[in-house]
Amino acid sequence: MAKLTMVEAINLALKQEMERDPAVVVLGEDVGKSGGVFRVTQGLFERFGDGRVVDTPLSESAIVGVSIGMAAYGFRPVAEIQFEGFVYGAMEQLISHASRIRTRSRGRYHCPLVVRMPYGGGIRAPEHHSESNEALLVHTPGLKVVAPSTPYEAKGLLVSAVRDPDPVIFMEPKRVYRAIKEEVPEEEYSIPLGQCRIATEGKDVTLIAWGAMLQPTLKAAALMGERGIGSEVIDLRTLSPLDDDTIIESVKKTKRAVIIHEAPRTCGLGAELIARINEKALLYLEAPVERVTGFDTVMPLPKLEQHYLPNAERVVEAIDRVLSF
Amino acid sequence: MAKLTMVEAINLALKQEMERDPAVVVLGEDVGKSGGVFRVTQGLFERFGDGRVVDTPLSESAIVGVSIGMAAYGFRPVAEIQFEGFVYGAMEQLISHASRIRTRSRGRYHCPLVVRMPYGGGIRAPEHHSESNEALLVHTPGLKVVAPSTPYEAKGLLVSAVRDPDPVIFMEPKRVYRAIKEEVPEEEYSIPLGQCRIATEGKDVTLIAWGAMLQPTLKAAALMGERGIGSEVIDLRTLSPLDDDTIIESVKKTKRAVIIHEAPRTCGLGAELIARINEKALLYLEAPVERVTGFDTVMPLPKLEQHYLPNAERVVEAIDRVLSF
Amino acid sequence: MINCSRIKKYGNKFKIILENARVTFISRWSRRAEKSSREKGAAMPKKTIQTFQVEWLQILDEHGNCDETLRPSLSDKEIQKLYEWMVLTRTLDEKAFKLQREGRLGTYASILGQEAAQVGSAFALQPSDWMFPSFREAGASILRGLPPRMILQYWSGDERGSQIPEGQNDFPITIPVGTQIPIAAGAAWAAKLRGDRIAVMTYLGDGATSKGDFHEGLNFAGVFSLPVVFLCQNNQWAISVPLSRQTRSKTLAQKAIAYGFDGIQVDGNDVFAVYKAAKEALEKARAGHGPTLIECLTYRIGDHTTADDASRYRKAEEVEAWRKKDPIDRLKKYMANKGLWNEAYHQQVATAAREKVEAAVKEEEAIPLPDPKDIFRYTFGELPEELKQQMENFLRGDGRPDL
Amino acid sequence: MINCSRIKKYGNKFKIILENARVTFISRWSRRAEKSSREKGAAMPKKTIQTFQVEWLQILDEHGNCDETLRPSLSDKEIQKLYEWMVLTRTLDEKAFKLQREGRLGTYASILGQEAAQVGSAFALQPSDWMFPSFREAGASILRGLPPRMILQYWSGDERGSQIPEGQNDFPITIPVGTQIPIAAGAAWAAKLRGDRIAVMTYLGDGATSKGDFHEGLNFAGVFSLPVVFLCQNNQWAISVPLSRQTRSKTLAQKAIAYGFDGIQVDGNDVFAVYKAAKEALEKARAGHGPTLIECLTYRIGDHTTADDASRYRKAEEVEAWRKKDPIDRLKKYMANKGLWNEAYHQQVATAAREKVEAAVKEEEAIPLPDPKDIFRYTFGELPEELKQQMENFLRGDGRPDL
Ligand SMILES: Cc1ncc(C[n+]2csc(CCOP(=O)(O)OP(=O)(O)O)c2C)c(N)n1
Ligand SMILES: Cc1ncc(C[n+]2csc(CCOP(=O)(O)OP(=O)(O)O)c2C)c(N)n1
Ligand SMILES: [Mg+2]
Ligand SMILES: [Mg+2]
């Protein structure tokens, strides 16, 4: 089995899904001849041609808008937003139409659309190139939101996203794009949406993370392991809809939890996870659930970004706090 | 003292602030000659003229965009988004610029801008006219978010919003616009941003609400009062930044809390409040904090909207649950 | 540099008067500069590299006079059909207005005065074409096949009014202004990729032309040469905002120049002109020759919606002047001249329309309230676990949306 | 209906050839229809109500030939200034590129080839005017007064590079494409309301014209007749997307027609043409006569940024062809002819530029890292309690952002 980066794994998933289903088309800025600014769509233009891999004019709103129309007509567009920090222009099309056309039309139309977007910090990029705004999308009824953490996960989840009958926001942790390699089967497989993954089992504390935050979280777990503390690391994978059962079961077992995300703290997805733990496992808790997150400030430019992004040390400190509460 | 509706109170605040400060200008769709679709700006056009009360072309994004430029140049624009369900088009200007220009320019520029928008359901309006998306804005660093609950509150908070040196989103509960009258001083007064209001004191349970949800919450408190249960009703007023202290103090006293909001449940502001209670008052809790909210669905059209919106009965049930946990 | 030669349009299409003011950049803001450059001998300082004209089409004037050389070929039967659809549209519209006033309908957006723009354009559509309405297209929608009952159902606050019948390739009403435009372009793109020889038509108002979605949708349509017709009903008002506050351009049609495709301004109260322009544009689209912007110059006779009171912001005289250009009246006059209309025929048409509308009202009012489960049911193709839970708790009536 | 008569532009402005194909709606997609309507005797089925021309301005061609009748009045000293600014811009640009390659700078967006467009336009600005750049305006920004050190500071990932010095009325770099346009319109509006006789200039690329913000910003500028100049550097690429994928319109200048104001296309590698067009437009704006769109036709010689490799998507020949139109070269030739340039002068200019740039690099690299507190400090005018807490916890180093 080949060892692939996440970029290669996503590329492979796209290629295979396009081969399988002629309704799948890829569109966005620079996805064609150039193969995407991160090379995620490399080779697709040469293989499938200009009709199925389309460079568009510069407009995130229209990229999503036309995709909705294509989806209603029977296509399965996979649209790329070049960086998650540019998705705001497309919010109206996402919130007012993509997420709603099924319910508005009482099922007459639906919107099998995937919106891929690289998100998150840590690559020393300019402003707006390091955002993590999953909470805005999770708060929107009618959207599914997915964030893979490894190459294997990315391929399997993207296959499910492409085949899903509803709009799926597929958030790709750009910091992971080439940072890790992993065995990824050439053969078809898929990972169902709506289910977390237990990345490591443990009995002392539950750590919940997704996307690029898995790596520092696993590192923190390993550091704690050296001190004899067992961490159960949950890779959330699907951010909406949430898989409460796995989370709650884990927290009932460990009685302590730390949630790690890059996004600003207030009204981030961490808050929702705490709310659900509060609602379903309050009496099991031995300590307040901790959040290790970005600050309630704008994500800084590269010279300060390392202060903003959660790292293994901060996770370890939080684990210490929940253990010593 | 005159008894005013919220529409009249806001109108009065605008008029007085415009008289006080020539830098204050009002702009938006239909705010001029027509006086606004809810008549909130009625009479301002006649009084201050076309230069200071400006009907704009139909574009929420540009309304916010030009306001940022005006603010940078020294004005204090008060922009209206006709309904909160149309603010999505302006998200990029709000998130990428209004909230950031101060920090991006390291203080060289700032953005004293108020964006008023009627929000929430209950007036039997068409689709997109009943949204409650405060969480999207609260999650955005650099924005303040305010939601008054009564005419008196509206006037005092709007005055503070207009004088604030930073962008303030002023969410007006349209269901309250004409539903209640209250004594509102003609004289100048202001209510500071960032502080909650204890609407009723009580020792058995803390109820947290804002905007239009104050009314059913107060009704529920009254019903519980008949049964001898004391509710401390907190009117959140400023949704961002949050006034943790008042909330935590109350919960420490009552040991039980219910949060009420119209917005969809998942990743709503209720989640953040629970997270903070979890972090700062976990050991005081006698029961999980309850949320009475909209569902994770699109807000239905009028024939079904009463099922969606929290009402006093649902609040009472939630109080019963936290009391009997 | 763009020079605009403005030509004033008077009511009658034959009276076209050329304003003598050739408005150029230089002459407008600095005659001195122009003069001095002339003195230097630079007769034409800049080279013209592109020229554009905007055209106007009117076939049937407000007195019922018709330019037969321009009239689209329509059989007598078809002309009567146009008339009958317009009468049915107006009958439904008036009824909806009344129902709202009686508290039997929610907010309603009247199309009074815009019947020709809607009927003329929708009449040119094939069933296989796709249509994306804005929120003021009751006339176009029923012509496309939507049971009039569903118009009432929608405006009474029932999503089932948006459940377009299978086989009718129309999208439901779009409320956020202009946002249907890129979606329509996307459907046109899909049709083109599939090789389907169909066209897409999307409706929009003058206000919608100010929104980014208009720009982005038309730009995509131009770049990819999509089979889509943008039918703009320029009714000259966007709620209380007049056209002059919406754009400084003299026509909306000229906005097509920005996208490198054709635009035309037609008399939107002239059903022949609208039909002809729409038909030509749709045929062009189906033949693979790209998009067209059609501006139908018309007028919103009524308030913006039943929630509005237009007398606060516009003059009664303006409305009166436009009433005289009534689209149904002028077709009637034309038909009467041609022997296609008489009082008996009219009675029959009016009665049929009334009966259809009354039947629709009865039908709609007899429909039981929607099932509250519908709030959840259509959120996704398959309800996720957490939403199923929310629904079940809600149905059990314990007021607990989650858990 | 819009008819386009296309006029082909060849390198030399004197060779303008009129294409004979008058492209009309009808002729393009249905010759049959046109013919049959002609047979009916309808010579001109639709009435032209508006005509527009798009003009092109070139003064200094690529060989250094200058049309003196068109040349803006500039003293020899001023012409030398233009040259010196262009040389400094290129020197800084080349240095930034090298620094990035050496790992001493973050991603950088080169302006190689666009020096005339930036220097020519910014040179026409008054200090009291306001300027809103996109992200590729190093040349314009230093001319406006930004210390070159700050350009490097910004691209090295330090927000202090965006702290525009007091008194310089410029906004910091805007990354989200096109979003600066409505903001610039707003500043222009404010100036107009204040009665300040200043103008606003905002820079944008060809890619930006596809975004809704372009449309909405220009539309507002038209409606309110704002003192703003939209300076579009059409460098023909938006990362890997060529102009033909960005719009189907033949020029970007013609997009102004949609907004009812003037647009002009100028040779963007001709510093005289850019300066002249910018100066006229700015004067017009300051005099209260509204906005202008200036399209500078130029070329992005380099990769999109240092993170890009343009060889994957465009031909070397295309780049080579444009290198021959180099803006500095042609001014040099002109100046040499006029006796304003010789090798000694050039050495002096080049040395001064190099020294300035080296000093800027030294200065920038000596700046200590920013204070981490800055992450919080500028979020609001006054730090709210919860943010103060986050900051204090962060500074205490207990990794606890809140509580
Ligand atoms: C994005 C958005 N902003 C505001 C509104 C509120 N609104 C509804 S209709 C309308 C005016 C629309 O004008 P126009 O496009 O000319 O259509 P008309 O009403 O004349 O048919 C406005 C501002 C809306 N529906 N959507
Ligand atoms: C809204 C938005 N979408 C995407 C991007 C990523 N991006 C940066 S520059 C660029 C191309 C811009 O092209 P153009 O406007 O022609 O300017 P140029 O780079 O040629 O100067 C893109 C797509 C962005 N910065 N902003
Ligand atoms: Mg209108
Ligand atoms: Mg470009």
Side-chain angles (χ1 to χ4, degrees):
Chain A
M1 206 162 11
K3 284 202 159 201
L4 302 185
T5 63
M6 186 182 278
V7 162
E8 292 161 341
I10 295 171
N11 182 271
L12 182 60
L14 288 172
K15 196 185 81 182
Q16 292 180 342
E17 286 303 292
M18 291 186 78
E19 271 164 0
R20 190 188 55 80
D21 183 353
V24 178
V25 294
V26 164
L27 71 163
E29 295 154 11
D30 308 293
V31 297
K33 218 163 177 183
S34 131
V37 294
F38 287 105
R39 311 284 176 274
V40 172
T41 55
Q42 188 141 37
L44 300 181
F45 178 82
E46 290 72 15
R47 191 174 191 106
F48 299 103
D50 194 30
R52 294 185 64 199
V53 184
V54 195
D55 281 327
T56 65
L58 203 162
S59 158
E60 286 70 20
S61 180
I63 289 169
V64 173
V66 298
S67 295
I68 297 167
M70 294 177 100
Y73 201 91
F75 280 83
R76 290 184 172 270
V78 179
E80 178 177 302
I81 300 292
Q82 201 162 81
F83 288 89
E84 197 248 21
F86 306 131
V87 76
Y88 308 126
M91 288 302 257
E92 184 157 40
Q93 288 292 343
L94 282 172
I95 301 181
S96 296
H97 294 305
S99 72
R100 288 171 176 241
I101 184 60
R102 184 191 285 277
T103 194
R104 176 184 302 145
S105 70
R106 288 302 184 240
R108 168 65 205 281
Y109 295 104
H110 66 291
C111 186
L113 161 66
V114 177
V115 182
R116 294 180 38 247
M117 46 198 197
Y119 87 99
I123 63 155
R124 305 190 61 74
E127 198 191 346
H128 309 280
H129 288 71
S130 303
E131 324 254 306
S132 302
N133 272 311
E134 60 273 20
L136 304 185
L137 300 154
V138 172
H139 187 53
T140 303
L143 296 181
K144 295 181 182 172
V145 184
V146 174
S149 60
T150 76
Y152 177 89
E153 291 285 313
K155 186 183 176 210
L157 287 165
L158 183 54
V159 166
S160 294
V162 171
R163 298 180 189 180
D164 198 271
D166 292 299
V168 180
I169 312 294
F170 196 78
M171 301 182 67
E172 302 171 1
K174 66 176 90 77
R175 190 163 28 157
V176 180
Y177 264 164
R178 294 170 194 282
I180 49 176
K181 283 202 169 203
E182 183 176 53
E183 298 209 327
V184 176
E186 175 81 19
E187 304 82 70
E188 182 179 315
Y189 69 97
S190 68
I191 298 173
L193 305 188
Q195 293 177 13
C196 324
R197 172 177 74 103
I198 309 257
T200 67
E201 286 192 33
K203 55 175 199 357
D204 300 316
V205 61
T206 299
L207 310 180
I208 309 174
W210 54 93
M213 287 297 103
L214 249 286
Q215 295 305 316
T217 302
L218 288 169
K219 192 170 156 200
L223 290 169
M224 295 310 288
E226 289 167 15
R227 287 163 46 191
I229 306 295
S231 300
E232 182 138 305
V233 176
I234 296 184
D235 177 3
L236 207 54
R237 299 208 285 209
T238 299
L239 316 189
S240 179
L242 283 169
D243 171 12
D244 288 6
D245 292 352
T246 307
I247 297 163
I248 298 303
E249 208 176 298
S250 175
V251 173
K252 282 185 178 169
K253 180 173 75 178
T254 64
K255 302 187 169 50
R256 293 169 169 93
V258 176
I259 299 159
I260 302 96
H261 65 65
E262 298 179 56
R265 181 182 186 82
T266 294
C267 274
L269 181 51
E272 178 62 29
L273 292 167
I274 295 179
R276 295 198 183 196
I277 292 168
N278 157 86
E279 282 159 356
K280 298 185 177 175
L282 180 70
L283 296 187
Y284 293 84
L285 287 180
E286 299 279 1
V289 180
E290 284 273 340
R291 290 187 277 179
V292 179
T293 70
F295 308 116
D296 286 320
T297 69
V298 172
M299 168 87 195
L301 291 190
K303 285 211 170 156
L304 293 173
E305 77 171 330
Q306 81 277 14
H307 298 296
Y308 187 90
L309 291 171
N311 55 25
E313 292 65 49
R314 275 173 63 189
V315 178
V316 165
E317 286 172 23
I319 298 172
D320 275 336
R321 284 199 299 274
V322 296
L323 288 172
S324 62
F325 182 79
Chain B
M1 204 162 15
K3 284 202 158 200
L4 302 186
T5 63
M6 185 181 281
V7 163
E8 291 161 342
I10 295 172
N11 182 271
L12 183 59
L14 288 172
K15 196 185 79 183
Q16 293 180 340
E17 286 302 292
M18 291 185 78
E19 272 163 0
R20 189 188 56 80
D21 182 355
V24 178
V25 294
V26 164
L27 71 164
E29 295 154 11
D30 307 293
V31 297
K33 216 164 179 182
S34 132
V37 294
F38 287 104
R39 310 284 175 274
V40 172
T41 55
Q42 189 140 38
L44 301 181
F45 177 83
E46 291 73 14
R47 191 172 191 107
F48 300 101
D50 193 29
R52 292 186 64 200
V53 185
V54 195
D55 281 327
T56 65
L58 202 162
S59 160
E60 285 71 19
S61 179
I63 289 168
V64 173
V66 299
S67 295
I68 296 167
M70 295 176 99
Y73 201 91
F75 280 84
R76 291 184 171 268
V78 180
E80 178 177 302
I81 300 291
Q82 201 162 78
F83 288 88
E84 197 248 22
F86 305 131
V87 77
Y88 308 127
M91 288 302 257
E92 185 157 39
Q93 288 293 342
L94 283 172
I95 301 181
S96 296
H97 294 304
S99 71
R100 287 171 178 242
I101 185 60
R102 183 191 285 276
T103 192
R104 177 182 304 145
S105 70
R106 289 301 183 241
R108 166 66 206 278
Y109 294 104
H110 66 292
C111 187
L113 161 67
V114 176
V115 182
R116 293 181 39 246
M117 48 198 194
Y119 85 100
I123 63 155
R124 305 189 60 74
E127 199 190 346
H128 310 280
H129 288 70
S130 303
E131 323 254 309
S132 302
N133 272 310
E134 60 273 22
L136 305 185
L137 300 154
V138 171
H139 186 54
T140 303
L143 296 181
K144 295 181 183 173
V145 184
V146 173
S149 60
T150 75
Y152 177 90
E153 291 284 313
K155 187 182 176 211
L157 288 165
L158 184 54
V159 165
S160 295
V162 170
R163 298 179 189 182
D164 198 271
D166 291 299
V168 180
I169 312 294
F170 197 79
M171 301 183 67
E172 300 171 2
K174 65 177 90 75
R175 196 173 13 166
V176 180
Y177 265 163
R178 294 170 194 285
I180 49 176
K181 284 202 169 205
E182 185 176 49
E183 298 207 328
V184 176
E186 176 82 18
E187 307 80 72
E188 184 180 316
Y189 68 99
S190 67
I191 298 174
L193 306 188
Q195 293 179 12
C196 323
R197 171 178 74 104
I198 309 257
T200 69
E201 287 192 30
K203 55 175 199 357
D204 300 316
V205 62
T206 300
L207 309 180
I208 309 175
W210 54 92
M213 289 298 101
L214 250 286
Q215 295 305 315
T217 301
L218 288 168
K219 192 169 155 200
L223 290 168
M224 295 311 288
E226 289 168 15
R227 287 163 47 191
I229 307 295
S231 300
E232 183 138 303
V233 176
I234 297 185
D235 178 2
L236 207 54
R237 298 208 286 206
T238 298
L239 316 189
S240 179
L242 283 168
D243 171 12
D244 287 7
D245 292 352
T246 308
I247 297 163
I248 298 303
E249 209 177 299
S250 175
V251 174
K252 282 184 176 169
K253 177 174 76 177
T254 63
K255 303 187 169 49
R256 294 171 168 91
V258 176
I259 299 159
I260 301 97
H261 65 65
E262 298 180 56
R265 180 182 187 82
T266 294
C267 274
L269 181 51
E272 179 61 32
L273 293 167
I274 294 179
R276 296 199 182 196
I277 293 168
N278 157 86
E279 284 160 353
K280 299 185 177 174
L282 180 70
L283 296 186
Y284 293 83
L285 286 180
E286 299 278 0
V289 180
E290 283 272 338
R291 290 186 278 181
V292 179
T293 69
F295 307 117
D296 286 321
T297 68
V298 172
M299 169 88 194
L301 291 190
K303 286 212 167 156
L304 293 174
E305 76 171 330
Q306 81 277 15
H307 298 295
Y308 187 90
L309 292 171
N311 55 25
E313 291 66 48
R314 275 172 64 189
V315 179
V316 165
E317 286 171 23
I319 299 172
D320 276 335
R321 284 198 300 273
V322 296
L323 289 171
S324 62
F325 182 79
Chain C
M1 189 76 44
I2 292 154
N3 302 320
C4 327
S5 317
R6 287 195 216 136
I7 298 169
K8 257 216 179 126
K9 224 169 42 231
Y10 288 82
N12 185 312
K13 81 188 152 65
F14 296 108
K15 280 196 215 132
I16 287 175
I17 293 171
L18 185 68
E19 269 193 318
N20 235 340
R22 195 163 151 276
V23 184
T24 70
F25 177 66
I26 288 166
S27 67
R28 247 196 292 152
W29 64 277
S30 163
R31 290 218 169 268
R32 219 162 37 79
E34 194 187 31
K35 220 172 118 215
S36 83
S37 102
R38 261 209 226 96
E39 278 157 10
K40 278 201 208 135
M44 202 201 165
K46 288 142 197 171
K47 308 296 167 211
T48 297
I49 48 167
Q50 297 243 64
T51 67
F52 302 96
Q53 290 103 47
V54 180
E55 292 184 342
W56 156 257
L57 179 66
Q58 186 196 53
I59 299 171
L60 188 63
D61 76 9
E62 56 188 290
H63 310 293
N65 300 320
C66 179
D67 183 337
E68 288 290 336
T69 62
L70 290 179
R71 191 169 69 70
S73 62
L74 287 162
S75 69
D76 290 354
K77 194 81 222 99
E78 285 172 320
I79 293 173
Q80 287 184 323
K81 272 264 158 266
L82 286 172
Y83 181 77
E84 288 156 25
W85 279 117
M86 290 205 280
V87 169
L88 178 60
T89 296
R90 184 164 294 181
T91 309
L92 174 62
D93 194 71
E94 283 169 348
K95 184 71 192 182
F97 182 85
K98 273 196 214 116
L99 290 173
Q100 194 280 336
R101 287 297 187 251
E102 291 164 13
R104 291 159 69 191
L105 198 71
T107 308
Y108 174 74
S110 163
I111 60 173
L112 191 65
Q114 301 180 214
E115 295 86 354
Q118 297 198 10
V119 168
S121 54
F123 199 74
L125 285 165
Q126 305 279 350
S128 52
D129 293 333
W130 282 53
M131 192 271 261
F132 290 75
S134 121
F135 53 87
R136 199 188 290 284
E137 271 74 57
S141 293
I142 60 174
L143 197 157
R144 287 283 288 169
L146 199 74
R149 178 255 306 165
M150 290 180 72
I151 302 279
L152 303 173
Q153 206 174 356
Y154 176 82
W155 292 106
S156 77
D158 181 344
E159 282 87 349
R160 290 170 300 178
S162 289
Q163 194 178 32
I164 312 297
E166 278 299 330
Q168 186 182 338
N169 296 324
D170 295 2
F171 246 45
I173 279 180
T174 294
I175 296 279
V177 168
T179 55
Q180 72 280 12
I181 301 172
I183 302 179
W189 196 355
K192 181 175 171 157
L193 289 175
R194 278 273 160 82
D196 296 346
R197 283 178 73 86
I198 63 125
V200 172
M201 184 176 275
T202 182
Y203 288 86
L204 56 127
D206 44 308
T209 65
S210 295
K211 199 141 187 299
D213 304 77
F214 169 83
H215 178 69
E216 299 184 353
L218 269 71
N219 189 46
F220 266 64
V223 166
F224 297 105
S225 193
L226 303 179
V228 53
V229 178
F230 302 100
L231 197 124
C232 177
Q233 291 177 75
N234 176 2
N235 65 10
Q236 306 189 57
W237 290 91
I239 309 187
S240 74
V241 180
L243 186 62
S244 58
R245 218 0 112 78
Q246 212 59 250
T247 180
R248 196 184 175 186
S249 74
K250 292 294 156 201
T251 69
L252 299 178
Q254 77 199 53
K255 291 180 187 284
I257 295 170
Y259 313 107
F261 60 77
D262 305 312
I264 182 170
Q265 189 186 56
V266 308
D267 182 337
N269 286 8
D270 166 1
V271 73
F272 290 155
V274 174
Y275 172 74
K276 186 188 175 88
K279 189 159 184 289
E280 288 184 355
L282 289 164
E283 280 170 5
K284 169 185 144 190
R286 290 187 208 107
H289 298 296
T292 309
L293 171 63
I294 300 175
E295 174 190 1
C296 297
L297 190 66
T298 179
Y299 194 81
R300 194 194 78 207
I301 298 288
D303 298 327
H304 171 68
T305 64
T306 49
D308 179 44
D309 170 11
S311 72
R312 278 180 306 120
Y313 53 78
R314 69 181 187 185
K315 296 228 173 70
E317 301 89 79
E318 184 182 300
V319 183
E320 277 321 302
W322 275 93
R323 275 192 195 278
K324 300 215 178 85
K325 302 181 204 238
D326 189 82
I328 299 186
D329 252 29
R330 70 171 82 170
L331 183 59
K332 178 177 105 177
K333 283 178 193 150
Y334 171 78
M335 288 167 70
N337 285 342
K338 288 270 172 187
L340 292 172
W341 190 97
N342 58 34
E343 200 48 48
Y345 165 74
H346 176 67
Q347 280 313 327
Q348 180 197 324
V349 171
T351 307
R354 242 190 339 267
E355 283 169 1
K356 240 185 216 147
V357 168
E358 289 303 335
V361 175
K362 262 218 191 91
E363 208 188 323
E364 198 276 323
E365 292 191 335
I367 296 171
L369 279 175
D371 181 351
K373 263 193 219 159
D374 287 358
I375 295 174
F376 300 91
R377 195 180 272 151
Y378 301 100
T379 308
F380 293 104
E382 198 182 319
L383 268 196
E385 205 43 53
E386 60 173 9
L387 215 48
K388 213 178 287 168
Q389 271 298 311
Q390 284 190 14
M391 182 171 80
E392 280 164 15
N393 293 327
F394 161 69
L395 292 173
R396 264 209 320 278
D398 75 352
R400 217 177 190 188
D402 202 345
L403 288 179
Chain D
M1 187 75 47
I2 293 155
N3 302 320
C4 327
S5 316
R6 287 195 216 135
I7 297 171
K8 258 216 178 125
K9 223 169 44 227
Y10 288 83
N12 186 312
K13 79 189 155 64
F14 297 108
K15 280 195 215 134
I16 287 174
I17 293 170
L18 184 69
E19 268 194 319
N20 234 338
R22 195 163 152 275
V23 184
T24 69
F25 178 67
I26 288 167
S27 67
R28 246 195 294 151
W29 64 276
S30 163
R31 292 217 169 269
R32 218 162 37 78
E34 195 189 30
K35 217 171 120 217
S36 82
S37 101
R38 262 208 226 98
E39 275 156 13
K40 276 199 207 139
M44 203 203 164
K46 289 142 195 170
K47 308 294 168 209
T48 297
I49 48 169
Q50 298 245 63
T51 66
F52 302 95
Q53 289 104 47
V54 180
E55 291 182 345
W56 156 257
L57 177 66
Q58 188 196 50
I59 298 171
L60 188 62
D61 76 10
E62 56 188 288
H63 310 294
N65 301 321
C66 179
D67 184 337
E68 289 289 336
T69 62
L70 290 179
R71 192 168 68 71
S73 61
L74 286 161
S75 68
D76 290 352
K77 194 83 222 99
E78 284 172 321
I79 292 174
Q80 286 184 323
K81 271 264 160 264
L82 287 172
Y83 180 76
E84 288 156 24
W85 278 116
M86 290 205 281
V87 169
L88 178 60
T89 296
R90 184 164 293 181
T91 308
L92 174 63
D93 194 71
E94 283 170 351
K95 184 70 191 182
F97 182 84
K98 274 198 213 110
L99 290 173
Q100 193 282 334
R101 286 296 188 254
E102 292 165 10
R104 292 160 69 191
L105 198 73
T107 307
Y108 174 74
S110 162
I111 60 171
L112 191 64
Q114 300 179 214
E115 294 86 354
Q118 298 197 10
V119 168
S121 53
F123 199 74
L125 285 164
Q126 305 278 350
S128 52
D129 293 333
W130 281 54
M131 193 272 260
F132 289 76
S134 121
F135 53 87
R136 199 188 289 286
E137 271 75 57
S141 293
I142 59 173
L143 198 157
R144 287 283 288 167
L146 199 72
R149 180 254 307 165
M150 291 180 72
I151 302 280
L152 302 172
Q153 207 175 357
Y154 176 82
W155 291 106
S156 77
D158 182 344
E159 283 88 350
R160 291 171 298 177
S162 289
Q163 196 179 28
I164 311 297
E166 278 301 330
Q168 185 182 339
N169 296 324
D170 296 2
F171 245 45
I173 280 181
T174 294
I175 296 279
V177 169
T179 53
Q180 72 280 13
I181 301 172
I183 302 178
W189 197 353
K192 182 176 170 156
L193 289 174
R194 279 273 159 83
D196 296 346
R197 282 178 75 86
I198 62 124
V200 172
M201 184 176 275
T202 181
Y203 287 86
L204 56 128
D206 44 307
T209 64
S210 295
K211 200 142 186 302
D213 305 76
F214 169 84
H215 178 70
E216 300 184 354
L218 270 72
N219 189 46
F220 266 63
V223 166
F224 297 105
S225 195
L226 302 179
V228 53
V229 178
F230 302 100
L231 197 124
C232 178
Q233 291 177 75
N234 176 3
N235 64 10
Q236 307 189 56
W237 291 91
I239 309 188
S240 74
V241 180
L243 186 62
S244 59
R245 221 356 115 75
Q246 211 60 249
T247 179
R248 196 184 174 184
S249 73
K250 293 293 159 203
T251 69
L252 299 177
Q254 77 199 52
K255 291 180 188 286
I257 295 170
Y259 313 108
F261 60 76
D262 305 313
I264 183 170
Q265 190 186 55
V266 308
D267 183 337
N269 287 8
D270 167 2
V271 72
F272 290 155
V274 173
Y275 172 74
K276 187 188 173 89
K279 188 157 185 291
E280 288 185 356
L282 288 166
E283 280 170 5
K284 169 184 142 189
R286 292 188 206 104
H289 298 295
T292 308
L293 171 62
I294 299 175
E295 174 190 359
C296 297
L297 190 65
T298 180
Y299 194 81
R300 193 194 80 209
I301 297 288
D303 298 327
H304 170 68
T305 65
T306 48
D308 180 44
D309 170 12
S311 72
R312 278 179 307 118
Y313 53 78
R314 70 180 186 185
K315 296 225 173 73
E317 299 89 79
E318 185 182 299
V319 184
E320 277 321 302
W322 276 93
R323 275 193 195 276
K324 301 216 177 83
K325 302 180 205 240
D326 188 83
I328 299 186
D329 252 29
R330 71 171 81 170
L331 183 59
K332 176 177 105 176
K333 283 178 192 151
Y334 172 79
M335 288 168 69
N337 284 342
K338 288 269 172 190
L340 294 173
W341 190 97
N342 59 34
E343 199 49 46
Y345 165 74
H346 175 69
Q347 279 314 327
Q348 180 197 325
V349 171
T351 307
R354 241 192 338 269
E355 283 170 1
K356 238 184 217 150
V357 168
E358 288 305 332
V361 175
K362 260 216 192 94
E363 205 187 324
E364 199 276 324
E365 292 191 336
I367 296 171
L369 278 176
D371 181 352
K373 263 193 217 155
D374 286 359
I375 296 175
F376 300 89
R377 194 180 272 150
Y378 301 99
T379 308
F380 294 104
E382 197 184 321
L383 268 196
E385 205 42 54
E386 58 173 10
L387 215 48
K388 214 179 286 167
Q389 270 299 309
Q390 285 190 13
M391 184 173 78
E392 280 164 14
N393 293 327
F394 161 70
L395 292 174
R396 265 210 320 279
D398 77 351
R400 219 175 188 190
D402 203 345
L403 286 179

